[in-house]
Amino acid sequence: MVKFSREYEASIIPEWKAAFVDYKCLKKLIKRIKVARRDAAPLLIAAGAATASGVGSYGFSVLDPVRALTARFAGGRAAAASPEEGEEESLESDSGELVRATDKHEQEFLERADEELNKVNEFYASQEGQLLERGEALIEQLRILADIKRILADHAAARGRGGRAAALGRSASMPPPSMSPSLNGCSGRHLLSGLASPQSMSDGSVEMQQAAVAEGAAVAEEVMAALERNGVSFVGGGIAGKAKKANKDGNKQLMGRGALLQLPATVRIDIPPTSPGRAALKVWEELVNVLRKDGADPAAAFVHRKKVQHAEKNIRDAFLALYQGLELLKKFSSLNVKAFTKILKKFVKVSEQQRATDLFSEKVKRSPFSSSDKLADEVECIFLRHFAGNDRKVAMKYLKPQQPRNTHMITFLVGLFTGTFVSLFIIYSVLAHVAGIFSSTGSPAYMDIVYHVFSMFALISLHVFLYGCNLFMWKSTRINHNFIFDFASNTALTHRDAFLMSASIMCTVVLSLVINLFLRNAGATYTDALPGALLLLSTGVLFCPFNIFYRSTRYCFMRVMRNIIFSPFYKVLMADFFMADQLTSQIPLLRHMEFAACYFMAGTFRNHAYETCTTSSQYTHLAYVISFLPYYWRAMQCLRRYLEEGHDINQLANAGKYVSAMVAAAVRFKYAATPTPLWMWMVIISSSGATIYQLYWDFVMDWGFLNPKSKNLWLRDQLILKNKSIYYVSMMLNLALRLAWAQSVMKLHLGRVESRLLDFTLASLEIIRRGHWNFYRLENEHLNNAGKFRAVKTVPLPFRELETD
């Protein structure tokens, strides 16, 4: 049976760990009480024996029976007076002072338990207040969304572009007042008094709405009136005045077939420009607003159906985040109640102070965090009616996605593919050695083809394997990587999945190499087309549209790569710049991909003229560009974050780090072309400066180390790994691997095979260094989230009111 302390530590919310009951500390205090009582037990037994035997300075006395009778009488009076004393104690406890323990250790335990109780109550109250405030804001957002959707649907019906079908579609999406969630009917704390109003949620007849809604300013007037009902103020005079002015000037608010509505109000639909399309739309809207000459508010929002759909999605995601936060708060409450219950049972068992324990238990029951609220049920009810069409099954897919079941089949497949890979690799090594492939007299064409193709897949497999190791360590240390990367927990990779991908990739590659070698020895034609077929197979698997081979992960990878390649036009998320950092360590892989694309796509495999892909000036220039691309993408991401995050100077400094890396790479390329002493010193100066810059950023900014005031020497105040020496070893390893560029200055005279092996080893070491960096980077991010108690993402709300004079 698992001890409760271990179960408790494994169940607490990692980001809120500091707010939970310190069960270990209270348990240590109980052990201290137990030890103190055990040490005092012999003295009490000796005193009791002396009293019972009457041993004293004077031996037996004839007055002992009288003393015994008097003591019994005094005990009865004490028992009779105990209820009154209990009432006094209860009154004292109600005033905030617990029953005083006779032992100092017991008193210390009660005081510490009271501090922990206050800590839990304060945190629960603050989190509940934030969630309630967020819920009220979401209800207001949902009201505005309902009004705008209704007005757009009625306007489309009035213009004859949908007629009754538009009204029926609107009726299906917007429930009647009887279907709206009534938050007054639920017990506990409530978000708002109600959601639906007859003006905003009622269906009505299409004919009546057609008669009420007119063209142009009439539509804008109704939108403004609906928003005013929700507490949104407007610039200038009243609604009627603006409508009359609009009608007088003949200002048509309809702009084209898209039915664009301009709201001359202080409210706008604020959709973050996360993609190039949204960014271009936002620039266009701002430009049109500036060029308007009708005297309206320049910041007035454009309203069209596409924007409303994005707004509805944002509100839905915000409700999901709110529901997740309420579920975490419920878990926080239940775990702390259980912890207090368990620890008080241990306390009463050791101290035998039943009265004090009962009083403290009552105080725990009366605490705000132990009350059973149904806020999550209210949010579930709202989500069910407005985003799931009253289909509970659909709602639960969003609110409570099913977690994948752990199966031993993946572990079995990992072992199977690993064993197969080892066996095939041994077979390939023996056959290649017998055939003299890698000897000095071997075919250089085969060596180059095999090296590039094998190295490309081997580096990918190594990186995926290290990512699996990171996943295992993050899970073991309870680093919430899915929350940090914003991955869905039901589709995110596990460490077993990553190991399976790595083993299957290497097994397939080595099998292809063995078959290729057999065909080559048999004298078959076009044997080099087999590595090309392997590339086509891997590409097909990556873009496969069927739900096989981890489709969600593959699509997420392609989406992240798209965001990186088109930087800075996409909003930079944690997964985007984390993956871009991985690419800066995979520059040799990108060069291998360049050679493979050149060799197999340019038709050179027919005449084995592989030299055209290594010696031509176009190839050299392309390799030069490829070496720059990862650093360029990362610098553009830093500039995008600098503009979006309030001009944070750290983002500019981070961009400077990647610019220094580009300069160092350019100087090394120049030195490789013209190896003169001048350029050698330029390589040393530029690469040393870039390395110092990178090391400082790794240790201080990304890992949070080198803090001279830390209680852990040159580390952080908070560390997840218990063994501090691991951090120092990782720092030294990172320092050594950052100096791998030094081999480019050393003119080592190596053979073709040895040179290839050295390049592959250095590329592998850089990937290993990146694997170390990954763990500590996410550890620092997790500790920052825990320091701010961030366990739920904050979704930006679409409707916001502008500040006006």
Side-chain angles (χ1 to χ4, degrees):
M1 184 177 179
V2 182
K3 291 185 177 181
F4 173 74
S5 57
R6 295 182 181 179
E7 179 184 354
Y8 178 73
E9 290 292 330
S11 301
I12 61 177
I13 303 167
E15 291 80 7
W16 293 354
K17 184 177 181 180
F20 277 81
V21 179
D22 195 348
Y23 189 83
K24 285 187 177 180
C25 179
L26 296 179
K27 195 174 179 181
K28 288 180 181 179
L29 294 178
I30 288 180
K31 289 183 178 180
R32 192 178 301 174
I33 296 173
K34 187 176 181 180
V35 171
R37 284 182 167 269
R38 184 186 60 191
D39 295 341
L43 300 177
L44 294 175
I45 293 174
T51 303
S53 61
V55 178
S57 302
Y58 304 100
F60 177 78
S61 174
V62 294
L63 297 178
D64 285 344
V66 179
R67 293 172 182 168
L69 182 62
T70 305
R72 182 177 299 178
F73 179 72
R77 291 183 59 186
S82 61
E84 297 178 358
E85 294 175 359
E87 292 178 0
E88 291 182 4
E89 290 173 352
S90 64
L91 291 175
E92 289 177 357
S93 64
D94 290 337
S95 63
E97 181 180 356
L98 294 174
V99 180
R100 294 187 177 181
T102 57
D103 186 82
K104 63 177 183 179
H105 297 298
E106 297 169 3
Q107 180 69 22
E108 183 182 1
F109 170 84
L110 293 174
E111 291 176 354
R112 184 56 187 268
D114 192 60
E115 293 176 0
E116 294 294 320
L117 181 62
N118 293 334
K119 178 186 72 174
V120 171
N121 281 326
E122 291 176 1
F123 178 79
Y124 182 87
S126 64
Q127 290 295 321
E128 186 185 47
Q130 294 176 9
L131 291 174
L132 285 173
E133 183 179 357
R134 185 71 171 178
E136 292 177 358
L138 284 176
I139 294 296
E140 293 294 336
Q141 296 278 314
L142 197 57
R143 282 176 169 170
I144 297 175
L145 176 66
D147 286 333
I148 292 179
K149 287 179 67 177
R150 179 181 62 82
I151 294 169
L152 288 176
D154 291 342
H155 179 59
R159 294 199 61 184
R161 296 194 309 268
R164 187 174 298 274
L168 292 176
R170 185 253 312 158
S171 300
S173 62
M174 304 308 299
S178 59
M179 299 295 291
S180 63
S182 177
L183 303 182
N184 278 332
C186 301
S187 61
R189 298 167 179 84
H190 310 294
L191 297 176
L192 279 178
S193 59
L195 172 64
S197 61
Q199 296 87 349
S200 62
M201 305 295 287
S202 61
D203 284 331
S205 62
V206 179
E207 292 77 13
M208 293 179 62
Q209 295 295 339
Q210 289 177 353
V213 180
E215 292 288 338
V219 178
E221 177 186 358
E222 188 174 356
V223 174
M224 293 158 60
L227 296 176
E228 272 196 342
R229 288 197 298 270
N230 291 287
V232 179
S233 58
F234 295 91
V235 180
I239 298 297
K242 287 186 178 290
K244 291 179 180 178
K245 182 179 183 301
N247 287 328
K248 181 179 179 181
D249 298 339
N251 180 23
K252 300 297 184 181
Q253 300 294 334
L254 298 173
M255 301 178 63
R257 296 185 61 183
L260 297 177
L261 303 180
Q262 290 181 337
L263 306 182
T266 59
V267 68
R268 68 182 301 164
I269 303 180
D270 189 10
I271 304 297
T274 57
S275 62
R278 293 187 186 180
L281 179 61
K282 188 172 184 178
V283 172
W284 169 253
E285 292 174 0
E286 296 295 336
L287 180 62
V288 172
N289 284 330
V290 171
L291 297 178
R292 287 178 60 190
K293 299 179 180 180
D294 56 359
D297 183 13
F302 285 70
V303 179
H304 53 86
R305 295 189 180 278
K306 194 69 176 177
K307 235 183 176 182
V308 172
Q309 290 175 2
H310 288 307
E312 185 173 9
K313 183 180 181 299
N314 285 3
I315 294 175
R316 184 197 67 187
D317 294 341
F319 266 105
L320 292 176
L322 176 63
Y323 182 82
Q324 183 182 3
L326 292 172
E327 287 292 317
L328 291 179
L329 198 62
K330 185 188 298 183
K331 182 180 180 181
F332 175 83
S333 174
S334 62
L335 283 177
N336 281 289
V337 169
K338 192 173 182 180
F340 275 118
T341 303
K342 291 285 186 180
I343 204 67
L344 289 177
K345 285 183 179 180
K346 291 180 178 293
F347 174 72
V348 73
K349 185 178 180 181
V350 173
S351 65
E352 299 178 356
Q353 291 197 23
Q354 186 65 46
R355 182 64 178 170
T357 305
D358 292 341
L359 290 173
F360 195 86
S361 298
E362 288 297 326
K363 188 174 182 180
V364 171
K365 291 179 181 179
R366 294 194 303 266
S367 299
F369 80 93
S370 63
S371 59
S372 58
D373 293 327
K374 297 183 179 180
L375 293 175
D377 297 336
E378 298 179 34
V379 175
E380 180 180 327
C381 181
I382 296 174
F383 190 90
L384 178 66
R385 297 186 186 280
H386 294 276
F387 298 101
N390 290 322
D391 191 340
R392 185 172 182 81
K393 187 176 181 180
V394 174
M396 288 300 104
K397 287 183 180 179
Y398 288 99
L399 297 175
K400 295 181 180 180
Q402 293 182 355
Q403 302 299 325
R405 295 185 302 175
N406 293 328
T407 175
H408 296 289
M409 179 57 66
I410 296 180
T411 306
F412 169 75
L413 292 177
V414 170
L416 177 63
F417 281 116
T418 302
T420 306
F421 159 68
V422 173
S423 302
L424 290 174
F425 186 78
I426 293 174
I427 293 173
Y428 175 77
S429 301
V430 172
L431 293 177
H433 178 72
V434 171
I437 294 297
F438 299 109
S439 63
S440 58
T441 59
S443 173
Y446 178 84
M447 177 61 193
D448 284 342
I449 297 169
V450 169
Y451 168 74
H452 286 289
V453 175
F454 177 79
S455 297
M456 180 173 60
F457 285 100
L459 293 177
I460 293 175
S461 179
L462 177 61
H463 212 136
V464 173
F465 173 77
L466 290 176
Y467 181 66
C469 296
N470 288 140
L471 291 175
F472 176 78
M473 289 300 299
W474 291 333
K475 181 180 179 182
S476 301
T477 55
R478 306 205 68 221
I479 295 176
N480 196 353
H481 60 280
N482 288 333
F483 169 68
I484 295 175
F485 289 132
D486 196 16
F487 290 160
S489 57
N490 58 333
T491 58
L493 280 183
T494 64
H495 63 279
R496 293 185 180 89
D497 297 324
F499 292 154
L500 177 60
M501 294 173 63
S502 175
S504 60
I505 290 173
M506 290 307 302
C507 183
T508 305
V509 172
V510 178
L511 177 61
S512 301
L513 293 177
V514 170
I515 296 175
N516 183 36
L517 189 58
F518 271 114
L519 294 177
R520 183 180 182 85
N521 293 336
T525 58
Y526 302 121
T527 56
D528 294 337
L530 188 60
L534 181 62
L535 292 174
L536 292 177
L537 176 63
S538 60
T539 305
V541 171
L542 179 62
F543 292 95
C544 179
F546 303 106
N547 192 13
I548 54 176
F549 303 127
Y550 302 101
R551 184 179 66 176
S552 59
T553 301
R554 290 187 284 109
Y555 280 20
C556 179
F557 171 76
M558 290 188 291
R559 183 170 59 252
V560 170
M561 289 300 300
R562 178 204 63 188
N563 297 348
I564 294 173
I565 292 173
F566 292 100
S567 298
F569 300 107
Y570 283 91
K571 182 179 177 61
V572 183
L573 304 177
M574 178 69 184
D576 298 336
F577 69 77
F578 188 84
M579 186 63 194
D581 280 323
Q582 311 305 305
L583 292 179
T584 59
S585 297
Q586 284 285 18
I587 293 178
L589 169 66
L590 298 179
R591 294 177 182 173
H592 294 321
M593 292 179 64
E594 176 199 9
F595 176 84
C598 174
Y599 189 84
F600 292 108
M601 295 178 62
T604 56
F605 64 91
R606 296 188 177 183
N607 54 10
H608 300 283
Y610 66 93
E611 293 87 357
T612 58
C613 293
T614 56
T615 59
S616 63
S617 59
Q618 293 84 358
Y619 179 88
T620 304
H621 294 160
L622 186 59
Y624 183 79
V625 172
I626 287 178
S627 300
F628 270 87
L629 276 179
Y631 299 113
Y632 167 77
W633 291 331
R634 194 64 187 89
M636 290 298 102
Q637 288 180 340
C638 293
L639 293 179
R640 172 69 184 253
R641 295 186 65 188
Y642 170 75
L643 296 175
E644 288 186 343
E645 298 179 4
H647 299 282
D648 185 5
I649 196 65
N650 289 330
Q651 297 301 330
L652 285 182
N654 198 12
K657 180 186 71 171
Y658 296 104
V659 171
S660 67
M662 285 191 287
V663 172
V667 174
R668 284 197 294 268
F669 266 99
K670 182 62 177 178
Y671 174 70
T674 56
T676 60
L678 173 62
W679 284 107
M680 183 186 69
W681 283 107
M682 292 294 293
V683 168
I684 295 175
I685 294 173
S686 61
S687 297
S688 298
T691 301
I692 295 173
Y693 203 157
Q694 292 165 354
L695 287 173
Y696 170 80
W697 205 269
D698 286 344
F699 295 154
V700 178
M701 305 302 295
D702 291 339
W703 292 1
F705 294 163
L706 300 184
N707 183 7
K709 299 180 180 180
S710 174
K711 61 182 180 181
N712 302 309
L713 184 61
W714 297 111
L715 299 177
R716 307 187 217 97
D717 287 333
Q718 294 184 352
L719 302 174
I720 291 182
L721 300 179
K722 296 181 180 179
N723 192 350
K724 299 179 184 178
S725 61
I726 297 178
Y727 294 95
Y728 297 111
V729 171
S730 297
M731 292 173 68
M732 293 299 102
L733 181 63
N734 188 76
L735 172 62
L737 295 180
R738 280 288 189 185
L739 297 175
W741 57 266
Q743 61 86 26
S744 63
V745 180
M746 305 176 185
K747 291 298 182 180
L748 302 177
H749 300 284
L750 301 175
R752 185 178 69 254
V753 177
E754 290 79 6
S755 177
R756 300 293 193 189
L757 183 60
L758 177 62
D759 292 341
F760 179 77
T761 302
L762 292 176
S764 301
L765 290 176
E766 171 60 20
I767 295 175
I768 293 174
R769 186 200 67 82
R770 181 60 62 181
H772 277 78
W773 181 90
N774 290 341
F775 175 80
Y776 299 114
R777 175 65 181 89
L778 243 68
E779 179 192 15
N780 191 29
E781 185 73 19
H782 172 77
L783 291 175
N784 290 334
N785 289 336
K788 299 178 181 178
F789 300 105
R790 291 185 298 195
V792 181
K793 67 176 182 179
T794 302
V795 180
L797 300 180
F799 303 111
R800 67 182 179 91
E801 189 174 353
L802 299 175
E803 295 181 1
T804 57
D805 295 334

